[in-house]
Amino acid sequence: MTTLELPSSMVIHDRSGETAMQPILYAFALEELLCRAIGKAAPPILHIWRHPRAFVMGLRDSRLPKAAEANEWLLSQGYDTAVRNSGGAAVPLDLGVVNVSLLLPKSAGDMEHRKDFDLMVALIRDVMSTITNRIDQGEVMGSFCPGEFDLSVGGRKFCGIAQRRQQLALSVQAFIIVEGLGEAKASLARGFYERAAGSASPNDYPLVAPGSMASLSECLHIELSAKRFTDSFVQVMAAKGVKVQSPRNIPGYPSEEEIQGMMELLKQRYAIKQ
């Protein structure tokens, strides 16, 4: 098990309370720019955010034969959609999902990504240690966005982790389903793949099974809100000396114009296959 050792200069950028409908690409554009700033000497950042109603696809999802049709189906139901530039597959988001990203510096030749996944797992275990010690790590078959670093309780997944690496910085991104019905999110992902798959082989996309996903509230049979979880997260980090910092005090924090420009670039670069 990895010992939790966060950089002493790390700060928290908590946007979890900004629940107005920003485009879903906003968070990914912001992190892309913050990683560039970290590569030039900005401090490491723990970014916390939520989105009210979105569906984020992985690159492979966007290349499925009927991805464009499935995307239109999602848009017709009021979901904001995007293709992310990190690894992993599709993830539905709402206000019950807390997104946590570790934005860290890296050396130009560092190709070892496992230690960064391990650090995120250790962070989540540490934050949740007062609630439960029953967190398992390992791929949950039948879940959406499946992977080796899935986190689950009792066989049901509540968290997935992906990573985006630049030359001098990286982002380790976790989605944590805190409240709500995990099966509702699984059903949405399943509906997307049913519409997007077309003639694709079942090996080309996750087969999302009922009963594979759950929120922490469901897993632990407790009342746990996203706000309470986030507050606890921030408090645990503050006790370790990692405190919330306002954007104006984060060196290299991008302007709104820069964020909008990066959103347009990501939209063009990772367009859904027509």
Side-chain angles (χ1 to χ4, degrees):
M1 182 181 296
T2 298
T3 302
L4 181 61
E5 294 184 6
L6 296 172
S8 59
S9 59
M10 176 171 277
V11 298
I12 297 172
H13 183 28
D14 182 9
R15 296 179 49 253
S16 62
E18 299 175 18
T19 56
M21 182 71 90
Q22 284 274 21
I24 183 58
L25 267 178
Y26 189 96
F28 296 99
L30 174 60
E31 290 188 0
E32 189 76 0
L33 291 167
L34 286 174
C35 278
R36 292 184 182 183
I38 288 169
K40 295 177 182 177
I45 298 169
L46 180 64
H47 180 209
I48 307 173
W49 61 280
R50 293 187 294 160
H51 192 283
R53 191 173 178 84
F55 192 91
V56 182
M57 295 168 232
L59 191 58
R60 287 185 67 184
D61 300 323
S62 72
R63 298 293 183 257
L64 288 170
K66 295 189 176 182
E69 294 176 27
N71 184 61
E72 288 299 321
W73 172 70
L74 290 165
L75 293 172
S76 72
Q77 297 186 73
Y79 286 93
D80 191 10
T81 64
V83 181
R84 69 171 180 264
N85 56 1
S86 54
V91 176
L93 300 178
D94 58 31
L95 292 179
V97 181
V98 177
N99 300 280
V100 178
S101 297
L102 281 170
L103 312 182
L104 303 167
K106 65 177 279 289
S107 61
D110 181 5
M111 302 297 290
E112 176 47 59
H113 67 279
R114 290 188 61 89
K115 66 182 186 304
D116 306 308
F117 281 106
D118 287 337
L119 182 60
M120 178 63 86
V121 172
L123 173 63
I124 295 170
R125 287 185 190 275
D126 193 61
V127 168
M128 293 184 58
S129 62
T130 59
I131 302 174
T132 183
N133 59 2
R134 295 189 294 130
I135 298 174
D136 297 315
Q137 179 202 322
E139 183 171 343
V140 175
M141 301 302 295
S143 65
F144 58 72
C145 197
E148 179 186 354
F149 291 91
D150 291 347
L151 298 182
S152 60
V153 174
R156 295 190 294 174
K157 174 177 172 177
F158 68 88
C159 174
I161 304 173
Q163 189 172 142
R164 159 74 172 163
R165 297 172 77 84
Q166 296 183 4
Q167 184 178 12
L168 297 175
L170 61 91
S171 172
V172 188
Q173 305 164 344
F175 70 84
I176 304 168
I177 307 174
V178 178
E179 59 178 296
L181 301 176
E183 179 52 38
K185 295 174 181 60
S187 178
L188 182 67
R190 192 159 50 244
F192 166 78
Y193 286 119
E194 287 171 353
R195 290 163 176 81
S199 59
S201 163
N203 295 325
D204 291 337
Y205 60 92
L207 299 176
V208 184
S212 61
M213 305 294 305
S215 66
L216 275 173
S217 297
E218 292 176 302
C219 288
L220 302 175
H221 307 290
I222 60 174
E223 290 288 332
L224 183 62
S225 69
K227 184 179 185 309
R228 179 184 158 199
F229 176 84
T230 302
D231 289 346
S232 176
F233 205 113
V234 170
Q235 289 167 9
V236 170
M237 291 299 99
K240 299 177 181 297
V242 182
K243 298 182 180 180
V244 173
Q245 191 67 269
S246 67
R248 65 177 178 272
N249 292 326
I250 298 176
Y253 196 91
S255 66
E256 283 299 312
E257 183 179 3
E258 289 173 316
I259 297 171
Q260 295 297 325
M262 179 56 70
M263 286 170 57
E264 286 303 314
L265 180 62
L266 294 178
K267 191 181 299 183
Q268 295 169 16
R269 185 173 294 171
Y270 302 99
I272 296 170
K273 181 180 179 181
Q274 298 295 322

